[in-house]
Amino acid sequence: MHPWPVTLLWSCAFVFTVIEITNTTFGAMTLSFKQMWLPPLLFAGFLIVRRFSLTLALLPHLNTGMFLTLAWALLSAAWSPLPGYTVSQVVAITGVSMIAIAFSVVSWRPGRFEDVLTTTVTTVLVLSLVYAVVFPAWGVHSESDFSLAGSWRGITYQKNSLGQVATVGLILWTYRMLTRRNSWQACLLGIALSVFMVVKSRSNTALVAATLSCMMMFAILRPALLLSGAARQLIFVSLALVIPVVGFLAVATDLLQPIGEFFGKGGTFTGRADIWREVFVEIAKHPIMGIGFSAFWGGEYSLAGNIIRKLGWAVPGAHNGYLDIINELGLIGITFFAIFLALHARALGQLSRFDRPRFALLAGLFLYLVLVDFSESGWFRPITQTHLIGMYCSIEVSRLLLQRRFALASHREAQRP
């Protein structure tokens, strides 16, 4: 099968996550979601059935933590105040993995992921640049709120969405320069475009996360570090320990508020600390099992209505993906998600043994997504850019490991007398 249909499928899925906020807030219950997402989801299902044997071979390599988290989310419908809605949201978010699996089993080749993602992200950035310049009434925020006024959103639904697209573009173009995938002139142009759009969207927090990711890729690739297995494990263990500690300090204490002030976010990280305090109160009401997947946020008349009225604006989420998971799926759910992250880190360690360039890219994206989820709800939210890229990165690692197994089996077969 020609690769362009599934390439277009994945690109459309990415674009859908950044142009329509109702998909991420109200998900599968909205008419716009059904109109936009049902065709690509059905097409993904068709492709998976068509390549069913390869899909079955891929399944053992997929991240068990992903299945555990999705299964627990579905089970939470049993105690969710909105059981039908919870089920529909699980179905919607599962579709993201279906699209990623379809992309990985139809006309797949090493490197197609970064090529397609780079092309899609750069296209969104170029269109956003043109849109903001030509149609500033729609491409630039006109709200009076200091965190939004004058910031660019381009063709995306909000400045934070454009900022995340731009920071992903920065990571991708930096990777392509480090690995010489393109000429240095093209890479510098891509980096300049990405940085410019980050600045115009005023997404300073995402820029810091992307900078750390680029530094990680540089350390791995220039010069290539000869890391032992123990050194790789030490790096991942350090990240696993440092990131949660820093996140806890940012969310639950005032120690990191000067950092927020330095980046123009105010002492409360643009009001995020106020949201976090209210969410902690809700978590205390159902700490073990959570309130139910996607059953909390949903407008003034939802369970989050008290928080929305108290804060005085339409809060769509906790602005912290980990707090949202704990609130909706409890400590059990966040444990399953931690298993997902740990298994993904282990798979990256396995990948580093035979494909250092893609290990650098996928590790850089992994670090970025984990960090940015402290300020924006992304992981296991229906359906966000963070979750889409995160799920694809996970499945891409699984596909690379499967391909390695195929290559080793072929080599052993060739060595037989």
Side-chain angles (χ1 to χ4, degrees):
M1 181 176 181
H2 198 277
W4 75 262
V6 72
T7 298
L8 180 63
L9 167 69
W10 196 92
S11 297
C12 287
F14 179 86
V15 172
F16 290 167
T17 65
V18 301
I19 65 172
E20 180 56 74
I21 191 172
T22 57
N23 292 335
T24 64
T25 306
F26 304 106
M29 300 299 287
T30 64
L31 178 61
S32 65
F33 177 91
K34 296 173 183 177
Q35 292 173 336
M36 293 173 68
W37 284 95
L38 276 183
L41 292 181
L42 291 174
F43 184 49
F46 165 75
L47 294 175
I48 289 173
V49 171
R50 183 169 179 176
R51 302 300 302 272
F52 193 63
S53 59
L54 184 55
T55 302
L56 287 179
L58 180 63
L59 282 178
H61 294 268
L62 297 181
N63 194 311
T64 304
M66 176 181 68
F67 294 111
L68 290 173
T69 307
L70 290 175
W72 182 249
L74 182 61
L75 185 62
S76 72
W79 58 87
S80 169
L82 303 169
Y85 184 71
T86 292
V87 171
S88 72
Q89 297 295 76
V90 175
V91 171
I93 205 169
T94 302
V96 171
S97 298
M98 289 178 55
I99 293 174
I101 291 173
F103 190 90
S104 297
V105 298
V106 176
S107 302
W108 180 88
R109 61 169 174 80
R112 185 156 69 107
F113 162 57
E114 55 258 36
D115 292 342
V116 172
L117 184 56
T118 302
T119 300
T120 305
V121 165
T122 304
T123 300
V124 171
L125 291 178
V126 170
L127 292 177
S128 293
L129 173 63
V130 173
Y131 194 68
V133 172
V134 178
F135 304 106
W138 295 282
V140 179
H141 282 287
S142 58
E143 292 88 342
S144 58
D145 184 271
F146 78 95
S147 65
L148 294 176
S151 56
W152 285 18
R153 63 183 173 194
I155 65 170
T156 71
Y157 66 82
Q158 205 248 9
K159 77 177 194 71
N160 290 335
S161 179
L162 178 60
Q164 290 185 38
V165 175
T167 47
V168 170
L170 175 60
I171 293 171
L172 290 167
W173 281 110
T174 300
Y175 162 77
R176 299 185 80 85
M177 173 171 280
L178 291 172
T179 55
R180 298 184 176 89
R181 292 290 194 276
N182 298 93
S183 66
W184 66 267
Q185 295 94 334
C187 292
L188 283 180
L189 185 61
I191 291 172
L193 172 64
S194 300
V195 172
F196 178 77
M197 298 304 285
V198 173
V199 171
K200 298 303 290 184
S201 68
R202 289 168 35 197
S203 298
N204 298 323
T205 307
L207 178 58
V208 172
T211 301
L212 293 174
S213 299
C214 291
M215 291 170 61
M216 170 186 279
M217 291 191 300
F218 186 86
I220 294 172
L221 295 172
R222 290 285 182 263
L225 298 178
L226 298 177
L227 298 177
S228 66
R232 285 192 296 266
Q233 293 176 10
L234 179 61
I235 291 174
F236 288 128
V237 169
S238 299
L239 290 175
L241 292 176
V242 171
I243 290 174
V245 170
V246 172
F248 175 80
L249 292 175
V251 173
T253 75
D254 298 330
L255 294 178
L256 299 185
Q257 287 191 5
I259 298 177
E261 294 172 346
F262 178 79
F263 286 105
K265 298 296 183 180
T268 61
F269 290 92
T270 320
R272 284 172 171 81
D274 298 328
I275 304 172
W276 297 338
R277 280 192 291 269
E278 297 298 327
V279 174
F280 271 119
V281 173
E282 296 298 326
I283 289 174
K285 299 176 182 178
H286 35 72
I288 306 301
M289 300 174 65
I291 197 170
F293 185 67
S294 289
F296 189 73
W297 302 102
E300 185 177 358
Y301 299 102
S302 66
L303 296 175
N306 289 334
I307 295 179
I308 292 173
R309 287 186 288 272
K310 185 174 182 178
L311 297 178
W313 63 288
V315 188
H319 276 286
N320 183 295
Y322 306 102
L323 289 185
D324 270 327
I325 291 176
I326 297 173
N327 187 36
E328 296 179 358
L329 299 178
L331 294 176
I332 296 177
I334 197 66
T335 299
F336 288 150
F337 179 65
I339 292 172
F340 167 80
L341 295 180
L343 291 178
H344 185 61
R346 187 182 72 173
L348 285 172
Q350 295 172 343
L351 179 65
S352 69
R353 298 170 187 169
F354 63 90
D355 195 337
R356 185 170 298 276
R358 291 186 179 88
F359 160 67
L361 172 63
L362 294 169
L365 285 173
F366 175 60
L367 176 62
Y368 168 77
L369 295 174
V370 168
L371 289 174
V372 81
D373 209 45
F374 281 112
S375 62
E376 299 292 337
S377 296
W379 287 108
F380 287 92
R381 307 302 301 165
I383 293 174
T384 64
Q385 175 192 161
T386 297
H387 187 74
L388 182 76
I389 296 176
M391 286 299 98
Y392 187 85
C393 286
S394 175
I395 293 173
E396 175 71 1
V397 173
S398 300
R399 184 65 173 90
L400 288 166
L401 294 177
L402 176 63
Q403 194 68 22
R404 175 67 172 177
R405 195 188 76 177
F406 287 160
L408 291 176
S410 177
H411 178 72
R412 287 194 296 268
E413 185 67 26
Q415 294 298 315
R416 288 181 181 178

